[in-house]
Amino acid sequence: MMLLAGATPPVLSVVVSTYARFAHVKALIESARAVMPPGSYEVITVISDHPDCEKVMWLQAQPDVKVIQGDIRQPRAPRLRSLYYYENMGIKAARGDWIF
């Protein structure tokens, strides 16, 4: 992609609705960091995990990750709302030019 002189490159918002699966979310974030320059993306996680779990504490410690508490789900319990509900929460919080 060619940018006009003085134009700023677009920012990508990556929205992730997640419950459990800490290793997968961590790998996704580390992969984004490895291939995209700082400031060219934002990661928004909409979580249903308990606020005191290891995954949530790790996510909250990441300076380039926005954490939104969708609900608090008990282990093996079904979602309280549809997946689209949680994804839309993340999309509403997105500030990028593009949303993935």
Side-chain angles (χ1 to χ4, degrees), residues 59-70:
L59 287 169
Q60 290 174 335
Q62 306 309 302
D64 58 345
V65 176
K66 181 185 286 185
V67 180
I68 299 172
Q69 185 76 52

Side-chain angles (χ1 to χ4, degrees), residues 3-61:
L3 294 175
L4 298 174
T8 57
V11 173
L12 175 66
S13 295
V14 179
V15 176
V16 182
S17 174
T18 176
Y19 172 73
R21 297 181 174 84
F22 178 29
H24 297 288
V25 173
K26 187 175 181 181
L28 179 137
I29 292 168
E30 290 172 348
S31 176
R33 288 177 180 151
V35 298
M36 293 190 281
S40 68
Y41 69 96
E42 66 174 348
V43 177
I44 301 166
T45 57
V46 182
I47 58 170
S48 296
D49 302 275
H50 193 278
D52 295 334
C53 76
E54 178 185 10
K55 175 179 132 188
V56 175
M57 291 189 287
W58 183 84
L59 287 169
Q60 290 174 335

